[in-house]
Amino acid sequence: MTPKRVMISADHGLAIVYFLQSDLVPTLLDAGVEVILLTDDSLKEQITQRFGRPGLTIEGLRLQQARSYFLKKDPSIQWWLDFLRRAGASNGINLEAVDSFIRQVEAEAHPRRRRLFPLMKVLVQAMRRSKPLRRWLVNLQNRYTPGIYTDLLSTYRPDMVVASTPGWRLDRYLLREAARQGIPTGAVIVGWDNSSSYSLKGAPVDWITCWSEIQKSELVNGSDWLPEQVSIGGIPSYDGYFRKEWLMPREEYFRLHNLDPERKLISYASSFVSFSPNIQNVEALADLVTNDRLSQPSQLLIRLHPNHFMDVERFAAEREQIRKLACELPHVHVVEPVPLGGELGYYSGEDMPEKSSMMAYSDVFTTVYSTMVVEASVHGRPVVSVCIDSPVGWPGKYTLPLSQIGGWPTHSRFRESGAGKVALNREQLIQAINTYLDNPEADQLARQRFVERECTFTDGTAGKRTAAILLSKLGINDAP
């Protein structure tokens, strides 16, 4: 019998973790399925060397060709189609994150494009109330289906094509072409906020897996997925957390960053950089540990965000400010994400032991509502979301005050869960951190319930469960 074949698009560092650093792809291979994984062309050899095994083939994703098509073939029309796709979800769900995206895009748009925004916002409001109009937009996108992947689809003849989004990024062209050739298509939800922030399909996709009932509701009520098209498989990327596979010994981790084992560890994961500076949060935390303003002697470990390494002047400037603080102040340290390389950049799974250990050994974990509030809760650590408004914002660019983002879907769920605390100023920050330094078990039950609601499966089996869903779509029901 000819083995089944699955072609997988991994166009993001987090997708590499999701598919390859979990049990998902290994389970497919163990079931006799051949997997063709498409990723950044420059990383083919690196990924083959690390993850290669019989049955797994690594091919290039041709992102430069896809981007060139987007920029050269009716670029303005394609841009507006993608904008409307993301902006025009049903108002049956919380759309505060999407509304912030619209305001940012309008504020930073070229003057010629900005003149069209009043008309487009009328269309967005109509789409939010009309399912037929949303369906029209989704179908209209398919007119832009280049033949970038014709040879790959013809060579491998996959039984199914799966992507890490339902066409929200450049994977739209692969999914559209597969659908045009009659190949079944599927997608997975990799990110915590994806189902509430990225909206409608960018290509014809037959089914999708997600983390939880919460995400399923967002997909069904916000993006018009049929309930039977949506399966809940948990989040495979976190299996290693639940099974403690990536955890370094505490002594080794503290030596790695020159941390003082006698001081409490306050960590800060930079977040929300595209909308707001983080430096005001970092400076507040640095002041607390440097001047011993907390109830117990502490130290600060700051994790830079992947965006800090983009070729964007304001992000790079903040990165250097943070590095300078760490050089000048006692008990302040910096950790930098490890790049995977190519176009996948600093969103990678190369430093999962670093991330896991940082969270596990933090006495208090702080960030700006990032996905790491879930990850730190998985590690059982107290979490404080630091939302001090920047006094200057991003000069010349759209800035969203951090005090105004608590209503975003994922943010509101964190607040309402009671799994952690929110600090809008230095006084609240001192109070929140001291509460957890003096009582580390505070809110622990709420954290456990929060993780269960958001991740569904907390026993380290999400990779196998999600693989079983893919196998069932292939007609294979006896997963190993």
Side-chain angles (χ1 to χ4, degrees):
M1 180 182 296
T2 303
K4 297 286 188 178
R5 286 179 178 166
V6 175
M7 182 173 284
I8 294 175
S9 166
D11 66 345
H12 194 284
L14 295 181
I16 297 294
V17 183
Y18 188 101
F19 289 113
L20 293 178
Q21 289 180 248
S22 74
D23 292 327
L24 202 161
V25 164
T27 301
L28 296 179
L29 295 171
D30 289 344
V33 175
E34 293 182 1
V35 176
I36 302 94
L37 186 129
L38 310 186
T39 191
D40 185 281
D41 295 70
S42 66
L43 300 177
K44 287 168 54 179
E45 291 186 12
Q46 177 182 331
I47 291 176
T48 299
Q49 289 176 359
R50 180 170 178 183
F51 299 105
R53 56 174 282 189
L56 175 63
T57 302
I58 309 297
E59 290 281 4
L61 195 46
R62 305 175 181 179
L63 292 174
Q64 290 186 1
Q65 290 175 249
R67 186 173 295 106
S68 177
Y69 177 81
F70 179 76
L71 294 174
K72 293 179 179 179
K73 176 63 174 176
D74 299 337
S76 183
I77 295 176
Q78 287 203 72
W79 190 93
W80 280 113
L81 286 174
D82 196 55
F83 170 81
L84 292 170
R85 174 202 60 71
R86 185 168 176 183
S90 167
N91 57 15
I93 64 169
N94 179 341
L95 294 176
E96 283 202 33
V98 178
D99 288 339
S100 295
F101 158 77
I102 294 172
R103 290 193 293 271
Q104 181 187 32
V105 172
E106 182 177 15
E108 298 181 357
H110 188 280
R112 288 197 303 271
R113 184 168 280 163
R114 197 177 301 150
R115 286 196 289 269
L116 286 175
F117 260 87
L119 173 62
M120 293 301 174
K121 287 196 287 188
V122 170
L123 182 54
V124 164
Q125 292 305 314
M127 288 177 62
R128 291 184 174 186
R129 297 189 299 270
S130 171
K131 187 173 182 177
L133 193 54
R134 294 193 297 272
R135 187 182 300 117
W136 167 81
L137 186 281
V138 169
N139 291 334
L140 185 62
Q141 299 172 105
N142 296 329
R143 65 184 292 184
Y144 294 99
T145 305
I148 296 172
Y149 304 100
T150 300
D151 60 324
L152 285 176
L153 294 171
S154 298
T155 297
Y156 289 106
R157 298 185 181 278
D159 297 282
M160 184 166 65
V161 173
V162 180
S164 55
T165 83
W168 292 333
R169 294 196 292 269
L170 294 175
D171 56 2
R172 66 182 77 118
Y173 299 128
L174 172 65
L175 291 167
R176 289 174 192 172
E177 189 165 353
R180 178 168 289 182
Q181 293 192 23
I183 301 170
T185 55
V188 300
I189 295 291
V190 171
W192 184 36
D193 68 341
N194 289 179
S195 53
S196 61
S197 298
Y198 294 95
S199 304
L200 307 176
K201 300 176 187 178
V205 181
D206 300 313
W207 56 266
I208 192 167
T209 71
C210 63
W211 300 20
S212 63
E213 286 287 355
I214 296 171
Q215 287 192 342
K216 180 173 182 176
S217 176
E218 290 173 334
L219 290 167
V220 171
N221 296 316
S223 303
D224 301 328
W225 290 84
L226 298 175
E228 58 268 26
Q229 292 180 300
V230 184
S231 299
I232 298 170
I235 172 60
S237 307
Y238 292 0
D239 283 350
Y241 292 153
F242 287 115
R243 299 193 300 236
K244 303 188 186 313
E245 291 179 346
W246 295 314
L247 201 58
M248 301 166 59
R250 184 177 187 273
E251 296 78 9
E252 178 184 340
Y253 185 71
F254 272 53
R255 282 198 305 270
L256 179 65
H257 296 299
N258 197 29
L259 300 173
D260 185 344
E262 302 303 317
R263 282 183 168 261
K264 298 293 185 180
L265 178 59
I266 312 299
S267 60
Y268 178 80
S270 303
S271 179
F272 222 70
V273 175
S274 297
F275 281 98
S276 169
N278 273 219
I279 189 64
Q280 71 280 1
N281 289 342
V282 172
E283 289 175 337
L285 288 163
D287 173 65
L288 299 188
V289 301
T290 301
N291 296 297
D292 286 329
R293 300 182 189 277
L294 298 172
S295 62
Q296 300 184 48
S298 301
Q299 58 199 321
L300 175 64
L301 180 61
I302 307 153
R303 180 178 173 86
L304 295 175
H305 192 274
N307 284 5
H308 280 130
F309 299 88
M310 295 173 61
D311 187 19
V312 177
E313 183 178 356
R314 62 186 185 278
F315 299 161
E318 181 171 270
R319 177 191 69 213
E320 296 309 312
Q321 282 182 279
I322 293 172
R323 284 174 172 170
K324 187 170 185 288
L325 277 178
C327 289
E328 295 176 348
L329 299 179
H331 313 305
V332 177
H333 309 265
V334 173
V335 60
E336 302 185 2
V338 177
L340 184 59
E343 296 206 25
L344 304 189
Y346 284 77
Y347 280 98
S348 80
E350 296 299 287
D351 61 350
M352 296 306 283
E354 164 63 48
K355 286 179 62 182
S356 186
S357 302
M358 178 183 185
M359 291 182 283
Y361 301 132
S362 294
D363 293 282
V364 182
F365 181 84
T366 66
T367 185
V368 184
Y369 291 121
S370 87
T371 305
M372 292 182 79
V373 303
V374 182
E375 297 171 70
S377 296
V378 168
H379 286 82
R381 307 319 301 151
V383 179
V384 177
S385 186
V386 188
C387 298
I388 299 173
D389 288 339
S390 168
V392 295
W394 290 128
K397 294 291 183 179
Y398 179 78
T399 301
L400 186 57
L402 296 181
S403 61
Q404 298 178 18
I405 64 175
W408 284 33
T410 50
H411 305 178
S412 63
R413 296 205 301 271
F414 171 72
R415 290 189 303 102
E416 293 164 4
S417 73
K421 302 186 184 301
V422 178
L424 302 180
N425 53 53
R426 293 194 182 208
E427 291 71 28
Q428 291 179 3
L429 183 58
I430 293 172
Q431 182 178 3
I433 292 177
N434 282 343
T435 295
Y436 288 135
L437 288 177
D438 298 336
N439 183 11
E441 298 304 314
D443 302 325
Q444 181 61 19
L445 181 58
R447 282 193 289 276
Q448 292 173 355
R449 290 173 175 168
F450 174 61
V451 170
E452 290 168 359
R453 285 193 298 272
E454 298 296 339
C455 300
T456 307
F457 303 111
T458 62
D459 56 357
T461 63
K464 290 184 179 295
R465 292 175 185 273
T466 303
I469 294 170
L470 270 67
L471 289 170
S472 71
K473 302 298 182 184
L474 291 167
I476 302 173
N477 296 308
D478 52 345

